[in-house]
Amino acid sequence: MIDVQSFAAGQWTNPGAGARNIASAITGEVIAQAGNDALDVQAMLSYARDIGGPALRKLTFHDRARMLKAVALHLMEHKQTLYDLSYDTGATLSDHKIDVDGGIGTMLVFASKGRREMPDGHAYLDGAPEQLGRDGQFLGRHICTPLLGVAVHINAFNFPVWGMLEKLAPTLLAGVPAIVKPATATCYVTEACVRLMLQSGLLPDGAVQLVSGGLGDMLDHLDCQDAVAFTGSADTALKLRSNPLLLERSVRFASEQDSLNASLLGPDATPGTPEFDLFIKEVSREMTAKAGQKCTAIRRIMVPEPQIDAVFDALSNRLAKTTIGDPRLETTRMGAVVSASQKRDVLEKAALIGAEAERVFGNPDDFTVEGADKNKGAFVPPMLFHCAAPDLAERVHDTEAFGPVSTLMPYRDLPHAVKLLNKGNGSLVASVITNDPDTAREITFGAAAFHGRLYFNNRQSMAEATGHGSPLPHMVHGGPGRAGGGEELGGIRGVMHYMQRTAVQGSPDILSAISQQWVPGSDTITDRAHPFTRTFTEVALGETFHSPAREVTLEDIETFAHFTGDTFYAHMDEEAAKANPFFPGRVAHGYLLLSFAAGLFVQPDPGPVLANTGLDNLRFMEHVVAGDSIKVRLTVKHKTPRNDEYGEVRWHVTLTNQNDQAVAEYELLTMNAL
Ligand code: NAP
């Protein structure tokens, strides 16, 4: 018997009054209890806001990204503990991999994105400065800073680890502490994971707390600096998000809820094509993985009318190979749903679907379970329904049986397919198996607005495709309407849910100071040695090098043309160049100017600049003709540490002519030794 503890205000606390029993999905026996009505939610909120938040915000995005990586690696080392506990949730080893390894992998992706795509500072910059005044002395830019409160994460039972980590990673990266409330049915797995994270000593105090069991009245104490991220059923979401106090205080509430996801077989994917086989494989995998308890599982299977029989035959053959039983057995392909009450719920929902569709595969009263007692464990067989008239049906489009249950339905043509796809009134994902780009386009423009993710797969992508049901940390997860109208993950987009975007306006100096990035128009530092002689650490934002001028001659242009082979007429033929609306006559190559610029700002001796790694945002603004002269201004715009040896310096480079007109502008990237 596990006493599932909560971690509240720095203390592990036992279950107490109001604790609920949790039974094994396999044996039906009570294996744990969780919940404590006496949990001091106010103390938890204060601990997060007053201790966790400030400690996290002291760190930069890069510090927090490194912390996430270390936590993820620690969990990886101990994942067997989580696997061992997870069997009692009904999950098989391959299900654990989706949950545990998937969660850890998500954390690692955020760790890496945090280092690569966010600054080593405290504000995330959204877009470039906007010039708001005529002379560039009054600018605006959008910056994102962490919310000053706490994120409350309420999770569904089906992914006790991934469900927590996919929310925790962007939250902690943002610099916001979290209180995690897993679903009670599987909270013993989440508790073990939180324990591992806390034992690692890698998280600052107050960064993560855990409520095992009920949340009490915590939501009533949130304010505009807090955020709720909910995952679960549409019914619970509606109840929680309508809390008048949350509404009154404009507390952010993101909802990821159930949806009637669909998979569609393209008209081109007839039997015998690789796409047909792929479709059967994807659908049966989605029906049976996690015993169908995936928010993204395929609930509606749409196939061209003439292929209904072929799909039914192939799918039922494959589903017939699904061995059901104790998930600890190697031979078991599908375990149990999470609990007896979940089994009841699935069967009730299946009965509703059955009023509109015929059950053509799987009988809940007649199936085999290996290694466990069918009457004690929460086992349900895969069930396939066939709905011959999907336009007239309602339940097959709005009833989620959260288990291995799907409905097969025919479509006539693509407009009809789009209509059926959208009849779910908003879903997390729709997949389309087709090798025809026109089909993919038509479906995208007809259905994208109703779906959070469109997953196309065919013979080209199938070896690498990640699966209809896998939300990836790089991609947005969430969907409109029935799916909750929320959005999670999507790389750095997911971090933004825990930050406030603020439009900051002011002079260039003010904006440079706030954004930790030199903004054109603000002060420069010119009294130091050549910046290429100074290390990453020494070189300061705004440090500027002014080169001497160099004349560009006709001979230079011709030499460059013949040397590179770029004898484009605008550089070589006066008359032809004049006829071109852009040029007054022969002009210097833009690349010649860039090369001369490099020659003007170079510091040739071995020094801290290790390599030139790229150039961004290049613009040629004014032509240069023979006899003009150019000079370069090079300013340190931004610095990003990369590792213990070197960091990236982003230089703002402007080439001007003899009249001080800007000829070209770009950002140069160098790696500089620390
Ligand atoms: P649920 O019954 O709606 O519960 C979801 C969470 O809400 C649980 O942690 C639950 O805690 C909590 N909760 C319930 N009532 C609450 C209240 N009054 N105050 C605070 N918290 C409360 O959903 P579930 O059965 O766990 O999960 C299955 C559903 O989740 C399915 O419909 C599935 O489609 C959906 N889901 C969606 C996604 C997605 O990303 N869109 C992902 C996974 C699952 P207790 O367990 O303690 O009641």
Side-chain angles (χ1 to χ4, degrees):
M1 180 79 169
I2 309 170
D3 275 332
V4 190
Q5 294 187 310
S6 294
F7 186 72
Q11 302 292 328
W12 284 102
T13 58
N14 277 321
R20 275 154 56 188
N21 285 340
I22 303 167
S24 159
I26 311 304
T27 63
E29 281 165 23
V30 173
I31 53 162
Q33 59 164 343
N36 187 340
D37 291 345
L39 216 54
D40 187 345
V41 297
Q42 282 281 26
M44 291 185 80
L45 292 171
S46 304
Y47 189 61
R49 290 170 181 150
D50 301 340
I51 310 284
L56 284 167
R57 291 196 298 274
K58 234 184 239 166
L59 306 174
T60 65
F61 291 109
H62 285 203
D63 293 333
R64 296 193 288 260
R66 276 188 286 269
M67 174 185 85
L68 286 183
K69 183 174 177 184
V71 171
L73 294 177
H74 180 77
L75 290 178
M76 187 71 89
E77 221 176 283
H78 297 278
K79 66 181 179 183
Q80 188 61 43
T81 316
L82 303 175
Y83 286 3
D84 292 344
L85 278 171
S86 295
Y87 286 112
D88 271 311
T89 69
T92 62
L93 179 61
S94 51
D95 295 336
H96 306 339
K97 289 187 177 162
I98 301 174
D99 185 34
V100 178
D101 297 58
I104 296 171
T106 297
M107 229 173 175
L108 287 171
V109 169
F110 272 97
S112 143
K113 282 188 167 287
R115 293 287 308 281
R116 281 188 287 113
E117 298 173 31
M118 302 189 88
D120 188 32
H122 298 90
Y124 178 78
L125 306 175
D126 176 356
E130 301 276 350
Q131 186 169 330
L132 303 175
R134 210 182 43 203
D135 297 327
Q137 297 309 305
F138 183 65
L139 308 171
R141 106 176 288 176
H142 295 96
I143 67 160
C144 303
T145 54
L147 291 179
L148 299 180
V150 53
V152 178
H153 296 164
I154 303 173
N155 294 329
F157 70 77
N158 54 338
F159 288 114
V161 176
W162 178 84
M164 169 172 62
L165 298 184
E166 64 103 4
K167 287 190 172 81
L168 214 44
T171 305
L172 294 177
L173 187 53
V176 176
I179 295 175
V180 179
K181 187 252 172 289
T184 303
T186 56
C187 67
Y188 50 95
V189 182
T190 314
E191 189 236 46
C193 187
V194 170
R195 207 173 274 283
L196 286 171
M197 289 194 287
L198 295 177
Q199 277 168 353
S200 75
L202 294 161
L203 293 170
D205 288 348
V208 176
Q209 297 177 78
L210 172 75
V211 175
S212 302
L215 204 50
D217 63 351
M218 186 180 287
L219 298 188
D220 296 346
H221 301 283
L222 302 186
D223 66 32
C224 73
Q225 289 304 306
D226 305 318
V228 181
F230 170 83
T231 299
S233 62
D235 289 347
T236 312
L238 179 63
K239 189 159 87 191
L240 299 187
R241 79 193 320 176
S242 348
N243 177 325
L245 292 167
L246 294 186
L247 294 173
E248 185 188 315
R249 296 167 193 164
S250 303
V251 178
R252 292 182 191 196
F253 190 102
S255 185
E256 296 299 326
Q257 55 199 48
D258 53 74
S259 78
L260 278 293
N261 311 293
S263 186
L264 190 130
L265 181 70
D268 56 302
T270 50
T273 60
E275 283 74 25
F276 185 89
D277 297 341
L278 176 62
F279 182 74
I280 301 298
K281 216 159 124 185
E282 288 246 14
V283 171
S284 68
R285 187 176 58 210
E286 287 302 324
M287 280 182 72
T288 54
K290 292 283 296 180
Q293 301 165 108
K294 273 167 76 180
C295 53
T296 48
I298 295 167
R299 305 291 171 206
R300 300 177 301 146
I301 308 164
M302 294 160 191
V303 306
E305 234 157 22
Q307 312 305 349
I308 278 279
D309 289 343
V311 168
F312 167 68
D313 288 345
L315 195 53
S316 43
N317 279 340
R318 202 169 168 105
L319 290 173
K321 293 182 188 143
T322 310
T323 44
I324 305 166
D326 183 340
R328 290 181 180 86
L329 296 179
E330 262 182 36
T331 48
T332 296
R333 290 282 155 270
M334 189 173 93
V337 296
V338 76
S339 63
S341 70
Q342 186 61 27
K343 175 175 174 171
R344 270 195 304 280
D345 189 65
V346 171
L347 296 182
E348 276 168 27
K349 300 280 173 55
L352 289 177
I353 292 169
E356 290 179 344
E358 183 192 356
R359 180 159 46 75
V360 288
F361 183 90
N363 181 351
D365 298 321
D366 182 15
F367 66 105
T368 308
V369 168
E370 288 169 11
D373 184 340
K374 190 164 84 174
N375 299 317
K376 291 192 175 152
F379 296 97
V380 181
M383 283 184 268
L384 184 64
F385 287 82
H386 172 228
C387 178
D391 294 299
L392 305 176
E394 294 298 334
R395 297 297 77 81
V396 301
H397 300 291
D398 70 10
T399 303
E400 183 204 43
F402 201 55
V405 182
S406 295
T407 306
L408 183 62
M409 59 192 79
Y411 72 84
R412 291 184 299 277
D413 50 23
L414 284 186
H416 186 217
V418 164
K419 202 171 146 207
L420 292 180
L421 281 174
N422 296 350
K423 215 167 180 261
N425 275 323
S427 89
L428 296 170
V429 51
S431 56
V432 182
I433 309 299
T434 180
N435 198 30
D436 176 16
D438 291 337
T439 296
R441 257 179 65 84
E442 185 168 341
I443 289 183
T444 301
F445 291 107
F450 272 88
H451 304 275
R453 179 160 60 90
L454 286 180
Y455 170 92
F456 295 97
N457 202 358
N458 61 19
R459 64 194 71 183
Q460 188 183 4
S461 52
M462 60 197 241
E464 292 182 14
T466 45
H468 160 107
S470 304
L472 297 177
H474 319 71
M475 308 302 292
V476 157
H477 173 61
R482 172 66 194 258
E487 204 182 272
E488 287 182 341
L489 303 184
I492 301 309
R493 292 173 192 85
V495 182
M496 295 306 127
H497 299 311
Y498 300 97
M499 305 191 85
Q500 175 64 40
R501 179 168 44 222
T502 304
V504 177
Q505 295 170 285
S507 68
D509 280 346
I510 297 285
L511 291 200
S512 289
I514 291 172
S515 59
Q516 296 174 301
Q517 210 179 72
W518 180 83
V519 171
S522 56
D523 282 349
T524 55
I525 305 164
T526 51
D527 58 351
R528 300 193 181 157
H530 192 300
F532 282 12
T533 62
R534 293 154 55 69
T535 62
F536 178 85
T537 318
E538 289 165 347
V539 89
L541 294 188
E543 219 168 296
T544 298
F545 170 79
H546 289 277
S547 82
R550 168 175 186 157
E551 189 183 334
V552 180
T553 66
L554 195 57
E555 198 190 341
D556 290 332
I557 297 173
E558 293 194 338
T559 305
F560 189 80
H562 294 302
F563 179 50
T564 60
D566 180 355
T567 51
F568 185 58
Y569 71 87
H571 313 304
M572 306 304 288
D573 181 334
E574 185 70 16
E575 287 312 306
K578 267 193 180 139
N580 178 313
F582 284 90
F583 306 119
R586 292 175 73 176
V587 293
H589 306 66
Y591 299 120
L592 167 64
L593 303 178
L594 292 188
S595 305
F596 278 178
L600 288 168
F601 61 60
V602 72
Q603 211 297 333
D605 306 325
V609 176
L610 304 174
N612 168 354
T613 53
L615 184 161
D616 280 345
N617 304 323
L618 170 63
R619 286 285 171 282
F620 294 118
M621 295 132 105
E622 192 65 45
H623 50 255
V624 171
V625 299
D628 285 351
S629 66
I630 58 162
K631 55 187 183 308
V632 189
R633 189 181 63 224
L634 190 74
T635 303
V636 179
K637 178 177 179 183
H638 188 56
K639 297 180 1 173
T640 310
R642 287 286 179 227
N643 57 30
D644 294 341
E645 284 178 53
Y646 51 82
E648 181 189 270
V649 181
R650 185 174 283 268
W651 308 82
H652 184 270
V653 185
T654 310
L655 271 67
T656 48
N657 63 15
Q658 63 283 359
N659 302 321
D660 283 334
Q661 283 173 299
V663 163
E665 212 162 55
Y666 56 97
E667 289 172 7
L668 172 75
L669 302 172
T670 60
M671 284 299 175
N672 289 29
L674 294 192

